[in-house]
């Protein structure tokens, strides 16, 4: 979640999502680990919660309810936080919270399957979905026009015009392959309940296996990512940067192996994090949705203050339809990376205190609605 804030500050800094300069490229690249970890560990959390609840029915009801709450928040409060405008007739956002919400709704049904079937579904979805690279895209005649919006929601993403005069639904995160990632994470929950030494060995084996498979598939460059690094037209990128510039929308198999492999490999190390730094980081992890709902408007407001300080006024660009359908930043607006990271550090430091308060409140005097936020 701390890494996620880098990318969201980047949006309002006007810094491009990657580029030929390594510092700009890695400012975006390092945040690629966020969404896969969110989806995968959301599935793991669902499994662990199911061990505490009275029945599978209770877990299913919770997943469906919380999923719908997340979708509603994405389309309303989070959308306003991103844009600071109320032009709902122009723009609706289907971002990462939308994706997590609908995947939770689907998991409400998937958890009734045997664990082996859930694991097979999750891994199979992750490994096989790139077969779609060989299928016509929705803008082509091979896909009927009436089905194109469904294809976009399920897989291809992109803006969908809702009616002749309705808003555009900007689908940043499609459902596939993320439902596979969440299902795989749910099956991984069985690993997390093992005795520590065995659990650590499983994490190392799975993590290393994913990393080795990434390098194998990426080097062969035949399957698992439509962005072929050795034939890409992105000649402005050095070879190594092209090699690790995998496809996030929709998340390719190579992208998922590249990000989930190291995440799972390092979990035993994260599990042993102690001291002030470990406690500082863990505070955000205890209240992920609360943090998410606070960090976007805080970053957006910080960008407004930076605009006032730099230009003497608030740039209207800050009220555009971020993060997906905004126009290019005005001439001379783009921040330096030093300013981007300074604002990021201030935001994280500021959010620690309300997150610490809310984590304590959830642990000591939890209201019913807090299980959803």
């Amino acid at each position: 979640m701390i890494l996620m804030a880098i990318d969201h500050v980047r949006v309002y800094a006007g810094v491009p999502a990657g580029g030929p300069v390594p510092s700009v490229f890695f400012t975006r690249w390092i945040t690629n680990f966020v969404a896969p970890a969110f989806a995968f560990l959301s599935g793991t959390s669902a499994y662990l919660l199911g061990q505490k609840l009275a029945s599978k029915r209770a877990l299913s009801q919770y997943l469906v309810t919380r999923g719908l709450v997340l979708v509603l928040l994405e389309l309303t409060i989070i959308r306003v936080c991103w844009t600071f405008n109320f032009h709902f007739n122009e723009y609706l956002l289907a971002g990462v919270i939308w994706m997590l919400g609908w995947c939770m709704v689907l998991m409400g049904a998937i958890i009734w399957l045997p664990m082996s079937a859930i694991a097979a579904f999750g891994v199979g979805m992750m490994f096989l979905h790139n077969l779609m690279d060989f299928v016509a895209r929705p803008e082509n005649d091979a896909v009927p026009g009436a089905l194109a919006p469904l294809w976009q929601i399920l897989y291809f993403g992109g803006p969908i015009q809702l009616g002749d005069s309705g808003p555009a639904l900007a689908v940043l995160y499609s459902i596939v392959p993320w439902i596979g990632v969440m299902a795989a994470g749910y099956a991984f929950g069985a690993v997390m309940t093992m005795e520590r030494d065995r659990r650590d060995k499983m994490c190392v084996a799975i993590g290393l296996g994913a990393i080795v498979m990434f390098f194998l598939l990426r080097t062969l460059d035949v399957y698992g990512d439509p962005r072929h690094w050795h034939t890409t037209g992105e000649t402005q990128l050095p070879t190594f940067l092209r090699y690790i510039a995998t496809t996030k929308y929709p998340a390719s198999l190579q992208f998922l192996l590249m990000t989930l492999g190291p995440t799972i490999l390092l979990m035993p190390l994260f599990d042993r994090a102690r001291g002030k730094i470990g406690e500082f980081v863990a505070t955000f992890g205890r209240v992920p949705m609360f943090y998410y709902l606070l960090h976007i408007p805080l970053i957006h407001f910080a960008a407004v203050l930076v605009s006032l300080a730099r230009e003497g006024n608030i740039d209207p660009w800050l009220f555009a339809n971020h993060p997906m359908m905004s126009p290019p930043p005005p001439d001379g607006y783009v921040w330096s990376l030093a300013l981007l990271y300074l604002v990021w550090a201030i935001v994280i430091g500021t959010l620690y205190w309300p997150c610490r308060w809310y984590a304590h409140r959830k642990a000591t005097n939890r209201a019913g609605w807090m299980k959803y936020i």
Side-chain angles (χ1 to χ4, degrees):
M1 294 191 306
I2 293 174
L3 289 178
M4 170 180 63
I6 297 175
D7 195 48
H8 295 167
V9 174
R10 180 199 59 77
V11 170
Y12 298 108
V15 174
V21 180
S23 56
V24 174
F25 178 90
F26 283 105
T27 292
R28 168 64 170 175
W29 185 86
I30 192 62
T31 66
N32 285 333
F33 290 82
V34 174
F38 274 2
F40 188 80
L41 295 178
S42 291
T44 304
S45 297
Y47 176 88
L48 297 177
L49 177 62
Q51 306 305 298
K52 301 176 183 178
L53 296 179
S55 66
K56 190 165 286 191
R57 180 180 297 275
L59 176 60
S60 178
Q61 290 175 344
Y62 170 77
L63 288 172
V64 172
T65 304
R66 185 160 194 247
L68 293 176
V69 168
L70 294 187
V71 171
L72 179 62
L73 287 172
E74 180 81 275
L75 295 175
T76 56
I77 294 174
I78 295 174
R79 178 237 175 266
V80 172
C81 292
W82 273 112
T83 64
F84 279 4
N85 71 53
F86 294 91
H87 302 154
F88 286 91
N89 60 320
E90 298 178 0
Y91 173 77
L92 296 173
L93 175 64
V96 66
I97 302 301
W98 153 285
M99 174 271 290
L100 291 173
W102 284 120
C103 286
M104 286 183 184
V105 171
L106 294 173
M107 286 299 300
I110 291 171
I111 62 169
W112 292 96
L113 297 173
M115 182 61 77
S116 58
I118 296 174
F121 169 80
V123 174
M125 183 72 74
M126 293 166 60
F127 273 74
L128 299 177
H129 80 91
N130 275 117
L131 292 173
M132 291 293 293
D133 297 339
F134 307 103
V135 177
R137 295 185 64 85
E139 61 265 22
N140 297 337
D141 293 338
V143 178
L147 294 179
L150 178 61
W151 275 115
Q152 288 180 257
I153 290 173
L154 291 178
Y155 191 73
F156 291 110
I160 301 172
Q161 189 65 39
L162 303 179
D164 294 335
S165 58
L169 176 66
V171 182
L172 185 59
Y173 284 86
S174 55
I175 305 304
V176 177
W178 297 107
I179 182 57
V181 175
M182 190 174 289
Y186 183 87
F188 183 76
V191 174
M192 297 305 292
T193 57
M194 294 176 179
E195 179 269 331
R196 171 174 278 191
D197 287 344
R198 187 183 177 199
R199 180 180 70 219
D200 290 352
K201 291 177 181 177
M202 288 290 290
C203 288
V204 171
I206 295 171
L208 283 177
I211 292 171
V212 169
M213 187 165 292
F214 163 73
F215 281 112
L216 177 62
L217 288 176
R218 195 63 177 158
T219 301
L220 293 175
D221 203 16
V222 174
Y223 175 78
D225 199 300
R227 196 174 180 182
H228 299 287
W229 64 273
H230 70 285
T231 58
T232 181
E234 299 170 299
T235 54
Q236 75 277 14
L237 286 178
T239 301
F240 175 67
L241 298 189
R242 292 204 309 272
Y243 188 89
I244 60 174
T246 51
T247 302
K248 184 177 181 181
Y249 306 111
S252 69
L253 169 60
Q254 292 180 22
F255 174 87
L256 294 173
L257 292 172
M258 180 184 73
T259 52
L260 286 175
T263 298
I264 296 171
L265 175 65
L266 293 174
M267 286 184 71
L269 178 63
F270 297 150
D271 189 39
R272 289 166 171 77
R274 297 293 184 271
K276 292 184 178 181
I277 295 178
E279 179 60 26
F280 177 85
V281 174
T283 297
F284 300 112
R286 296 186 183 109
V287 290
M289 196 60 209
F290 180 78
Y291 167 92
Y292 192 94
L293 290 174
L294 288 185
H295 92 288
I296 294 175
L298 181 58
I299 289 171
H300 201 166
F301 180 68
V304 168
L305 295 181
V306 169
S307 181
L308 278 171
R310 295 175 74 208
E311 304 174 34
N313 58 74
I314 302 174
D315 199 301
W317 181 77
L318 291 170
F319 300 92
N321 290 325
H322 299 286
M324 191 174 171
M325 294 178 64
S326 57
D331 292 339
Y333 175 88
V334 177
W335 301 2
S336 67
L337 289 183
L339 178 57
L340 187 160
Y341 281 101
L342 174 62
V343 171
W344 166 70
I346 292 172
V347 165
I348 296 300
T350 303
L351 286 173
Y352 172 76
W353 302 105
C355 288
R356 181 182 176 184
W357 166 82
Y358 190 68
H360 178 74
R361 173 69 190 276
K362 285 187 72 173
T364 58
N365 187 22
R366 181 172 179 167
W369 60 268
M370 288 183 175
K371 64 183 178 180
Y372 299 109
I373 303 297

